[in-house]
Amino acid sequence: MKIGIFDSGIGGVTVLHEAMKRLPNEEYIFYADLDHVPYGVKTPEEVIGFVDNIVADLVGRGVDAIVIACNTATSVAAEYVRIKYDIPIIGMEPAVKPAVEASNSRVLVMATPITIRENKLQNLLKKVDKDHIVDLLPMPGLVRLAEAGIFEGPEVDEYLTEQMAVINKDDYDQVVLGCTHFTYFKSAISKFFGGKVGLVDGNRGTVKHLAELLGLELFDGDLSHDMIYNVTYVESGRNVTAEAALAKYAGLHARLDQE
Ligand code: DGL
């Protein structure tokens, strides 16, 4: 099957990576909306417009299903495109439920400002945070750092320290990575919390959901060089063909294998 996976930027590669490992026999188109990243600080109406264009583009490329590999886009635009297009569309939401279940103290959800403000997350919290142990923290700066290829080092550490000045890090034993870009910062975030928290992302659950929806069997494998270069990478509607740009995506896959 031909599967389209999209995000505002490179965050979605973390979902693509998981999908390629677990569903290695499918064909993938990965779409990053680099002309409009970051989504998380834009208006919901703007994001709906971007997502509408991307879904139309992917449908035009003949995909059988689409994964919105972006919590922000899902929270404001998933319903809109599901009604408009006659194709299976899977969204993502912060993996709050497994984090709450695993926690013995408090849970911190990091996400973009839109995801934190929108009803979708608030409704999820009403369902799964019965004991009010979840706190929310916007971390928009991590998206910018990820797009600049900065995943660790003093700039990341300073940003984490600055943003987390409003919380007491010892209160938490689970941290939800509620934005796909944040997966690249697992090491830096874990280091910030002194290695004492569980980091929960929604990537595995999303791919499981995709497999169930399409009736596909899940595997547990590694990515080969050939698989990485067999993906069609698209940036805001333009196919990526330049060697250097393709190497950037290969580098991201390699990095995710280390995280
Ligand atoms: N990667 C996206 C998410 O999962 C959003 C990043 C952005 O463009 O702000 O929320």
Side-chain angles (χ1 to χ4, degrees):
M1 282 196 186
K2 206 192 250 192
I3 299 167
I5 299 183
F6 78 86
D7 181 30
S8 59
I10 62 167
V13 176
T14 68
V15 180
L16 169 72
H17 187 81
E18 180 74 18
M20 289 166 71
K21 281 204 305 204
R22 309 219 66 212
L23 299 169
N25 301 321
E26 313 313 314
E27 194 183 328
Y28 293 96
I29 299 180
F30 177 73
Y31 188 121
D33 195 8
L34 295 190
D35 288 358
H36 303 116
V37 67
Y39 282 0
V41 293
K42 305 237 160 55
T43 66
E45 292 71 26
E46 282 176 297
V47 175
I48 291 171
F50 301 147
V51 171
D52 192 6
N53 284 339
I54 296 170
V55 172
D57 179 298
L58 290 171
V59 168
R61 291 170 189 265
V63 297
D64 299 296
I66 293 177
V67 179
I68 308 178
C70 175
N71 297 262
T72 309
T74 301
S75 66
V76 293
E79 281 317 303
Y80 179 87
V81 286
R82 279 194 190 117
I83 291 168
K84 182 162 175 184
Y85 298 91
D86 188 18
I87 185 171
I89 299 178
I90 290 176
M92 289 190 82
E93 64 184 8
V96 183
K97 190 165 183 260
V100 166
E101 284 166 2
S103 177
N104 292 311
S105 57
R106 296 192 69 76
V107 173
L108 184 67
V109 177
M110 297 177 181
T112 67
I114 286 196
T115 303
I116 286 185
R117 270 197 317 266
E118 282 299 310
N119 287 342
K120 197 168 195 306
L121 180 58
Q122 301 301 334
N123 290 339
L124 177 67
L125 291 181
K126 275 186 208 142
K127 268 195 272 168
V128 304
D129 184 25
K130 299 272 185 233
D131 297 326
H132 305 292
I133 60 163
V134 177
D135 297 320
L136 307 176
L137 190 64
M139 301 283 275
L142 288 184
V143 177
R144 182 184 48 80
L145 288 164
E147 291 297 331
I150 303 166
F151 305 113
E152 61 201 338
E155 241 182 291
V156 173
D157 295 342
E158 268 162 41
Y159 180 73
L160 292 177
T161 308
E162 234 172 72
Q163 287 297 105
M164 301 222 227
V166 294
I167 61 148
N168 177 5
K169 58 183 170 186
D170 297 328
D171 287 350
Y172 303 96
D173 66 351
Q174 299 293 323
V175 174
V176 177
L177 306 174
C179 167
T180 50
H181 280 77
F182 299 174
T183 308
Y184 295 106
F185 299 96
K186 276 188 174 168
S187 310
I189 294 170
S190 177
K191 190 179 88 182
F192 179 85
F193 283 93
K196 287 194 226 138
V197 293
L199 300 178
V200 191
D201 70 47
N203 293 358
R204 217 174 156 87
T206 301
V207 172
K208 193 163 163 263
H209 183 191
L210 174 68
E212 280 161 10
L213 195 78
L214 300 181
L216 300 170
E217 188 190 344
L218 286 167
F219 296 87
D220 243 330
D222 294 324
L223 293 198
S224 67
H225 177 274
D226 284 358
M227 284 166 81
I228 290 170
Y229 281 89
N230 269 337
V231 174
T232 302
Y233 297 92
V234 181
E235 293 176 346
S236 297
R238 305 174 294 273
N239 280 28
V240 176
T241 50
E243 200 61 40
L246 289 170
K248 175 185 103 172
Y249 287 98
L252 293 173
H253 284 290
R255 166 148 210 111
L256 289 167
D257 275 332
Q258 291 157 20
E259 281 290 340

CSV table of all heavy atoms in Angstrom, one decimal, residues 1-35:
chain,number,residue,atom,x,y,z
A,1,MET,N,0.8,-1.2,0.0
A,1,MET,CA,0.0,0.0,0.0
A,1,MET,C,0.9,1.3,0.0
A,1,MET,O,2.0,1.2,0.5
A,1,MET,CB,-0.9,0.0,1.3
A,1,MET,CG,-2.0,-0.9,1.2
A,1,MET,SD,-3.2,-0.5,2.4
A,1,MET,CE,-4.4,-1.9,2.1
A,2,LYS,N,0.3,2.3,-0.5
A,2,LYS,CA,1.0,3.6,-0.6
A,2,LYS,C,0.5,4.5,0.6
A,2,LYS,O,-0.7,4.8,0.7
A,2,LYS,CB,0.7,4.3,-1.9
A,2,LYS,CG,1.8,5.2,-2.4
A,2,LYS,CD,1.4,6.0,-3.5
A,2,LYS,CE,2.0,5.6,-4.8
A,2,LYS,NZ,1.8,6.6,-5.9
A,3,ILE,N,1.4,4.8,1.5
A,3,ILE,CA,1.1,5.5,2.7
A,3,ILE,C,1.7,6.9,2.7
A,3,ILE,O,2.9,7.1,2.5
A,3,ILE,CB,1.5,4.8,4.0
A,3,ILE,CG1,0.8,3.4,4.0
A,3,ILE,CG2,1.2,5.6,5.2
A,3,ILE,CD1,1.3,2.4,5.0
A,4,GLY,N,0.9,8.0,2.9
A,4,GLY,CA,1.4,9.3,3.0
A,4,GLY,C,1.5,9.7,4.4
A,4,GLY,O,0.6,9.5,5.2
A,5,ILE,N,2.7,10.2,4.8
A,5,ILE,CA,2.9,10.7,6.2
A,5,ILE,C,3.3,12.1,6.1
A,5,ILE,O,4.2,12.5,5.4
A,5,ILE,CB,4.0,9.8,6.9
A,5,ILE,CG1,3.5,8.4,6.9
A,5,ILE,CG2,4.3,10.4,8.3
A,5,ILE,CD1,4.5,7.4,7.6
A,6,PHE,N,2.6,13.0,6.9
A,6,PHE,CA,3.1,14.4,6.8
A,6,PHE,C,3.2,15.1,8.2
A,6,PHE,O,2.6,14.7,9.1
A,6,PHE,CB,2.2,15.2,5.8
A,6,PHE,CG,0.8,15.6,6.4
A,6,PHE,CD1,0.7,16.8,7.2
A,6,PHE,CD2,-0.3,14.8,6.2
A,6,PHE,CE1,-0.5,17.2,7.7
A,6,PHE,CE2,-1.5,15.2,6.7
A,6,PHE,CZ,-1.6,16.4,7.5
A,7,ASP,N,4.0,16.2,8.1
A,7,ASP,CA,4.1,17.0,9.3
A,7,ASP,C,4.5,18.4,8.8
A,7,ASP,O,4.8,18.6,7.6
A,7,ASP,CB,5.3,16.5,10.2
A,7,ASP,CG,5.5,17.3,11.5
A,7,ASP,OD1,4.5,17.9,12.0
A,7,ASP,OD2,6.7,17.3,11.9
A,8,SER,N,4.6,19.4,9.7
A,8,SER,CA,5.0,20.7,9.4
A,8,SER,C,6.5,20.6,9.0
A,8,SER,O,7.0,21.5,8.2
A,8,SER,CB,4.9,21.7,10.6
A,8,SER,OG,5.6,21.1,11.7
A,9,GLY,N,7.2,19.7,9.5
A,9,GLY,CA,8.7,19.6,9.2
A,9,GLY,C,9.2,18.2,9.5
A,9,GLY,O,8.6,17.2,9.3
A,10,ILE,N,10.4,18.2,10.1
A,10,ILE,CA,11.1,16.9,10.3
A,10,ILE,C,10.6,16.1,11.4
A,10,ILE,O,11.0,14.9,11.6
A,10,ILE,CB,12.7,17.1,10.5
A,10,ILE,CG1,12.9,17.9,11.7
A,10,ILE,CG2,13.3,17.8,9.2
A,10,ILE,CD1,14.4,17.9,12.2
A,11,GLY,N,9.7,16.6,12.3
A,11,GLY,CA,9.1,15.8,13.4
A,11,GLY,C,8.5,14.6,12.8
A,11,GLY,O,8.6,13.5,13.4
A,12,GLY,N,7.8,14.7,11.7
A,12,GLY,CA,7.1,13.5,11.1
A,12,GLY,C,8.0,12.4,10.7
A,12,GLY,O,7.6,11.2,10.6
A,13,VAL,N,9.3,12.7,10.5
A,13,VAL,CA,10.3,11.6,10.2
A,13,VAL,C,10.3,10.6,11.3
A,13,VAL,O,10.6,9.4,11.1
A,13,VAL,CB,11.7,12.2,9.9
A,13,VAL,CG1,12.7,11.1,9.6
A,13,VAL,CG2,11.6,13.1,8.7
A,14,THR,N,10.0,11.0,12.5
A,14,THR,CA,10.1,10.1,13.7
A,14,THR,C,9.0,9.0,13.6
A,14,THR,O,9.1,7.9,13.9
A,14,THR,CB,10.0,10.8,15.0
A,14,THR,OG1,8.7,11.4,15.2
A,14,THR,CG2,11.0,12.0,15.2
A,15,VAL,N,7.9,9.5,13.0
A,15,VAL,CA,6.7,8.5,12.8
A,15,VAL,C,7.0,7.7,11.5
A,15,VAL,O,6.8,6.5,11.5
A,15,VAL,CB,5.4,9.3,12.6
A,15,VAL,CG1,4.2,8.4,12.4
A,15,VAL,CG2,5.2,10.2,13.8
A,16,LEU,N,7.5,8.3,10.5
A,16,LEU,CA,7.9,7.6,9.3
A,16,LEU,C,8.9,6.5,9.6
A,16,LEU,O,8.8,5.3,9.2
A,16,LEU,CB,8.5,8.6,8.3
A,16,LEU,CG,9.2,7.9,7.1
A,16,LEU,CD1,8.2,7.4,6.1
A,16,LEU,CD2,10.1,9.0,6.3
A,17,HIS,N,9.9,6.8,10.4
A,17,HIS,CA,10.9,5.9,10.9
A,17,HIS,C,10.3,4.6,11.5
A,17,HIS,O,10.6,3.5,11.2
A,17,HIS,CB,11.8,6.6,11.8
A,17,HIS,CG,13.1,5.9,12.2
A,17,HIS,ND1,14.2,5.8,11.4
A,17,HIS,CD2,13.4,5.1,13.3
A,17,HIS,CE1,15.1,5.1,12.0
A,17,HIS,NE2,14.6,4.7,13.2
A,18,GLU,N,9.4,4.9,12.4
A,18,GLU,CA,8.7,3.8,13.2
A,18,GLU,C,7.9,3.0,12.2
A,18,GLU,O,7.9,1.7,12.2
A,18,GLU,CB,7.8,4.4,14.3
A,18,GLU,CG,7.1,3.4,15.1
A,18,GLU,CD,8.0,2.7,16.1
A,18,GLU,OE1,9.1,3.1,16.4
A,18,GLU,OE2,7.5,1.6,16.6
A,19,ALA,N,7.2,3.7,11.3
A,19,ALA,CA,6.3,3.0,10.3
A,19,ALA,C,7.2,2.1,9.4
A,19,ALA,O,6.8,0.9,9.1
A,19,ALA,CB,5.5,4.0,9.5
A,20,MET,N,8.3,2.6,8.9
A,20,MET,CA,9.1,1.8,8.0
A,20,MET,C,9.7,0.6,8.7
A,20,MET,O,9.9,-0.5,8.1
A,20,MET,CB,10.3,2.7,7.5
A,20,MET,CG,9.8,3.8,6.5
A,20,MET,SD,11.0,5.0,6.2
A,20,MET,CE,12.2,4.1,5.2
A,21,LYS,N,10.0,0.7,10.0
A,21,LYS,CA,10.6,-0.4,10.7
A,21,LYS,C,9.5,-1.5,10.9
A,21,LYS,O,9.8,-2.7,10.9
A,21,LYS,CB,11.1,0.0,12.1
A,21,LYS,CG,12.4,0.7,12.0
A,21,LYS,CD,13.3,0.6,13.3
A,21,LYS,CE,12.6,1.2,14.4
A,21,LYS,NZ,13.4,1.7,15.5
A,22,ARG,N,8.3,-1.0,11.2
A,22,ARG,CA,7.2,-2.0,11.6
A,22,ARG,C,6.4,-2.4,10.5
A,22,ARG,O,5.7,-3.5,10.5
A,22,ARG,CB,6.4,-1.4,12.7
A,22,ARG,CG,7.3,-0.8,13.9
A,22,ARG,CD,6.7,-1.0,15.2
A,22,ARG,NE,6.6,-2.4,15.6
A,22,ARG,CZ,5.7,-3.0,16.4
A,22,ARG,NH1,4.8,-2.2,16.8
A,22,ARG,NH2,5.7,-4.2,16.6
A,23,LEU,N,6.3,-1.6,9.4
A,23,LEU,CA,5.6,-2.0,8.2
A,23,LEU,C,6.5,-1.9,7.0
A,23,LEU,O,6.4,-1.0,6.2
A,23,LEU,CB,4.3,-1.1,8.1
A,23,LEU,CG,3.3,-1.2,9.2
A,23,LEU,CD1,2.3,0.0,9.1
A,23,LEU,CD2,2.6,-2.5,9.2
A,24,PRO,N,7.5,-2.7,6.9
A,24,PRO,CA,8.6,-2.5,5.9
A,24,PRO,C,8.2,-2.8,4.5
A,24,PRO,O,9.0,-2.4,3.6
A,24,PRO,CB,9.7,-3.5,6.4
A,24,PRO,CG,9.0,-4.6,7.2
A,24,PRO,CD,7.8,-3.9,7.8
A,25,ASN,N,7.1,-3.4,4.3
A,25,ASN,CA,6.7,-3.7,2.9
A,25,ASN,C,5.8,-2.7,2.2
A,25,ASN,O,5.4,-2.9,1.0
A,25,ASN,CB,6.0,-5.1,2.8
A,25,ASN,CG,7.0,-6.2,3.4
A,25,ASN,OD1,8.2,-6.2,3.2
A,25,ASN,ND2,6.4,-7.1,4.2
A,26,GLU,N,5.6,-1.6,2.8
A,26,GLU,CA,4.7,-0.6,2.2
A,26,GLU,C,5.5,0.5,1.5
A,26,GLU,O,6.7,0.6,1.7
A,26,GLU,CB,3.8,0.0,3.3
A,26,GLU,CG,3.1,-1.0,4.2
A,26,GLU,CD,2.5,-2.1,3.5
A,26,GLU,OE1,1.8,-1.9,2.5
A,26,GLU,OE2,2.7,-3.3,4.0
A,27,GLU,N,4.8,1.3,0.7
A,27,GLU,CA,5.5,2.4,0.0
A,27,GLU,C,5.2,3.7,0.7
A,27,GLU,O,4.0,3.9,1.1
A,27,GLU,CB,4.9,2.4,-1.4
A,27,GLU,CG,5.6,3.2,-2.4
A,27,GLU,CD,4.9,3.2,-3.8
A,27,GLU,OE1,4.2,2.2,-4.1
A,27,GLU,OE2,5.0,4.3,-4.4
A,28,TYR,N,6.2,4.5,0.9
A,28,TYR,CA,5.9,5.7,1.7
A,28,TYR,C,6.2,7.0,0.9
A,28,TYR,O,7.2,7.1,0.2
A,28,TYR,CB,6.9,5.7,2.9
A,28,TYR,CG,6.5,4.6,3.9
A,28,TYR,CD1,7.1,3.4,3.9
A,28,TYR,CD2,5.4,4.8,4.8
A,28,TYR,CE1,6.8,2.4,4.8
A,28,TYR,CE2,5.0,3.8,5.7
A,28,TYR,CZ,5.7,2.6,5.7
A,28,TYR,OH,5.3,1.6,6.5
A,29,ILE,N,5.3,8.0,1.2
A,29,ILE,CA,5.6,9.4,0.7
A,29,ILE,C,5.6,10.2,2.0
A,29,ILE,O,4.7,10.2,2.8
A,29,ILE,CB,4.5,9.9,-0.2
A,29,ILE,CG1,4.4,9.0,-1.5
A,29,ILE,CG2,4.7,11.4,-0.6
A,29,ILE,CD1,3.3,9.5,-2.4
A,30,PHE,N,6.7,10.9,2.2
A,30,PHE,CA,6.8,11.7,3.4
A,30,PHE,C,6.8,13.2,3.0
A,30,PHE,O,7.6,13.6,2.1
A,30,PHE,CB,8.1,11.5,4.2
A,30,PHE,CG,8.2,12.4,5.4
A,30,PHE,CD1,7.4,12.2,6.5
A,30,PHE,CD2,9.1,13.5,5.3
A,30,PHE,CE1,7.4,13.1,7.5
A,30,PHE,CE2,9.1,14.4,6.4
A,30,PHE,CZ,8.3,14.2,7.5
A,31,TYR,N,5.9,14.0,3.6
A,31,TYR,CA,5.7,15.4,3.2
A,31,TYR,C,6.0,16.2,4.4
A,31,TYR,O,5.3,16.1,5.4
A,31,TYR,CB,4.2,15.5,2.7
A,31,TYR,CG,3.8,16.9,2.1
A,31,TYR,CD1,3.3,16.9,0.8
A,31,TYR,CD2,4.0,18.0,2.8
A,31,TYR,CE1,3.0,18.1,0.3
A,31,TYR,CE2,3.6,19.3,2.2
A,31,TYR,CZ,3.1,19.3,1.0
A,31,TYR,OH,2.7,20.5,0.4
A,32,ALA,N,6.9,17.1,4.2
A,32,ALA,CA,7.3,18.1,5.3
A,32,ALA,C,6.9,19.5,4.7
A,32,ALA,O,7.3,19.9,3.6
A,32,ALA,CB,8.8,18.1,5.6
A,33,ASP,N,6.1,20.2,5.5
A,33,ASP,CA,5.6,21.5,5.0
A,33,ASP,C,6.6,22.6,5.4
A,33,ASP,O,6.3,23.5,6.2
A,33,ASP,CB,4.2,21.8,5.6
A,33,ASP,CG,3.5,23.0,4.8
A,33,ASP,OD1,4.1,23.4,3.8
A,33,ASP,OD2,2.5,23.4,5.3
A,34,LEU,N,7.8,22.5,4.9
A,34,LEU,CA,8.9,23.4,5.4
A,34,LEU,C,8.6,24.9,5.1
A,34,LEU,O,9.2,25.8,5.8
A,34,LEU,CB,10.2,23.0,4.7
A,34,LEU,CG,10.7,21.6,5.1
A,34,LEU,CD1,12.2,21.4,4.7
A,34,LEU,CD2,10.7,21.4,6.6
A,35,ASP,N,7.8,25.2,4.1
A,35,ASP,CA,7.5,26.6,3.9
A,35,ASP,C,6.7,27.2,5.0
A,35,ASP,O,6.6,28.5,5.1
A,35,ASP,CB,6.7,26.8,2.6
A,35,ASP,CG,7.5,26.5,1.3
A,35,ASP,OD1,8.7,26.2,1.5
A,35,ASP,OD2,6.9,26.5,0.2
